[in-house]
Amino acid sequence: MSNFFRKLSALFSYDVGIDLGTANTLVYIKDQGIVLREPSVVAMKNGVPKAVGEEAKRMVGRTPGSVVAIRPLKDGVIANFEVAHNMLRYFIKKATQHRLRTRILIAHPSGITEVERHAIEEAALEAGAVEVRLIEEPMAAAMGVGMPVSEPIGNMIVDIGGGTTEVAIIALQGIVYSQSEKCGGDALDETIVRHMLSAHNLHIGIRTAEDIKIRVGSAHPLQQELEMEVKGRDRGTGLPKTVTVRSEEIREALKDKLDIIVSAVRQTLDHCPPELASDLYDRGITVAGGGALLRGLGDLLHEQTGLPIFIAEDPLSAVAEGTGKFLQENSDLFYED
């Protein structure tokens, strides 16, 4: 394609990066930055979308029987194709204000199959994209936090999202070794739901579990332990009930899931080439994704690996920012001769 037609096409097109997450979807428009950040939820009534994103999330656990709140992604991949492309269509139109052509770069977990990759591409095309490219989440996250991924030095990223944890060693703009575990923020929330039922006979919803994780959750002992009151429904009587939980209790409940994340980090380190291992001792490990915000996670990883641990400055935006940087640095991504 000639430079003239490239410039003409650019005038009438949007280059868009999407972090299509299990919990949240972020949309980045080239030269504008992140323009949309909403939960990956669709409220359906009789098979028709009634609300998407933040509005739909508010309906979770509060909807009548005729309205069902659906999260179309599970463990980082599309579990409900029709709902996923409806959600994508809504987000794309909202972000671009219904304008012109949209070319999309989508971040995806490193461990997905070719069938799952194809499903993501098809969902984006069904949502109205004119062209779709994919990038692996750990690479996008590493770029988003500012790692020098194109240099011949070892970089290690841990991206803990809603559905998966992605761990990768990156050098020369390639993934040297990566590991993907279906364990992220959602698994931690579900664990808290089960713990409250078994330990306190208390039924709580997933939103309450997330609130517990945010307010008193931790991965490592705290200097000052925390506590909070939790309201739910008593399993025996069916009546409203309030109990007090402490951070030590929640930390113990989360231990098995956190061990999965630690194990993935250690296994990735075991596969690190000797030439890059010394870089990691100097540069450490950077943690991104919503899971990076769990108190004490850096202390736990440092204790288990002996390496310096850095929490990304804006861990929730890392993957989306990375898609944007990739678009900026690869301006011909959508213009293949």
Side-chain angles (χ1 to χ4, degrees), residues 85 88-89 92-93 100-104 121-132:
H85 88 69
L88 268 175
R89 182 185 298 275
I92 292 168
K93 286 185 176 180
L100 313 179
R101 295 158 46 92
T102 305
R103 299 181 301 254
I104 296 178
E121 292 173 338
E122 285 299 308
L125 291 170
E126 287 281 339
V130 296
E131 196 169 350
V132 181

Side-chain angles (χ1 to χ4, degrees), residues 254-276:
L254 297 178
K255 183 178 184 304
D256 288 347
K257 296 302 181 185
L258 292 172
D259 283 347
I260 293 174
I261 295 173
V262 169
S263 177
V265 172
R266 292 175 66 96
Q267 288 179 39
T268 302
L269 287 170
D270 287 343
H271 286 84
C272 181
E275 295 82 0
L276 300 179

Side-chain angles (χ1 to χ4, degrees), residues 141 145 157-162 164-166 183-185 188 213-214 217-219 258 261 285-301 309-318:
V145 300
I157 186 79
V158 178
D159 178 31
I160 306 173
T164 63
T165 292
E166 307 287 321
C183 178
L188 300 182
K213 179 183 68 178
I214 292 171
S218 68
L258 292 172
I261 295 173
I285 301 171
T286 298
V287 188
L293 299 174
L294 183 66
R295 293 177 188 81
L297 183 64
D299 293 329
L300 175 65
L301 291 175
I309 306 296
F310 304 99
I311 305 299
E313 184 175 343
D314 186 2
L316 292 168
S317 303

Side-chain angles (χ1 to χ4, degrees), residues 59-136:
M59 297 182 179
V60 174
R62 300 176 181 270
T63 57
S66 60
V67 179
V68 181
I70 298 175
R71 297 176 66 176
L73 285 93
K74 182 174 176 59
D75 299 330
V77 297
I78 293 175
N80 188 316
F81 180 84
E82 183 177 353
V83 176
H85 88 69
N86 279 321
M87 181 182 75
L88 268 175
R89 182 185 298 275
Y90 173 85
F91 287 151
I92 292 168
K93 286 185 176 180
K94 184 174 181 179
T96 62
Q97 299 179 359
H98 302 261
R99 298 180 203 162
L100 313 179
R101 295 158 46 92
T102 305
R103 299 181 301 254
I104 296 178
L105 175 69
I106 300 182
H108 66 86
S110 59
I112 66 173
T113 65
E114 282 301 315
V115 172
E116 291 165 339
R117 285 173 56 93
H118 184 67
I120 293 172
E121 292 173 338
E122 285 299 308
L125 291 170
E126 287 281 339
V130 296
E131 196 169 350
V132 181
R133 294 286 186 269
L134 301 183
I135 182 174
E136 290 182 295

Side-chain angles (χ1 to χ4, degrees), residues 225-278:
E225 299 293 348
L226 306 169
E227 66 176 39
M228 69 176 287
E229 287 189 345
V230 179
K231 297 178 181 179
R233 178 169 54 84
D234 186 272
R235 176 165 58 175
T237 67
L239 298 174
K241 176 181 173 180
T242 301
V243 301
T244 299
V245 296
R246 290 182 57 80
S247 50
E248 300 99 318
E249 172 189 347
I250 301 304
R251 182 166 59 248
E252 182 60 30
L254 297 178
K255 183 178 184 304
D256 288 347
K257 296 302 181 185
L258 292 172
D259 283 347
I260 293 174
I261 295 173
V262 169
S263 177
V265 172
R266 292 175 66 96
Q267 288 179 39
T268 302
L269 287 170
D270 287 343
H271 286 84
C272 181
E275 295 82 0
L276 300 179
S278 61

Side-chain angles (χ1 to χ4, degrees), residues 161-177:
T164 63
T165 292
E166 307 287 321
V167 188
I169 296 171
I170 298 170
L172 287 172
Q173 209 149 7
I175 295 178
V176 178
Y177 180 84

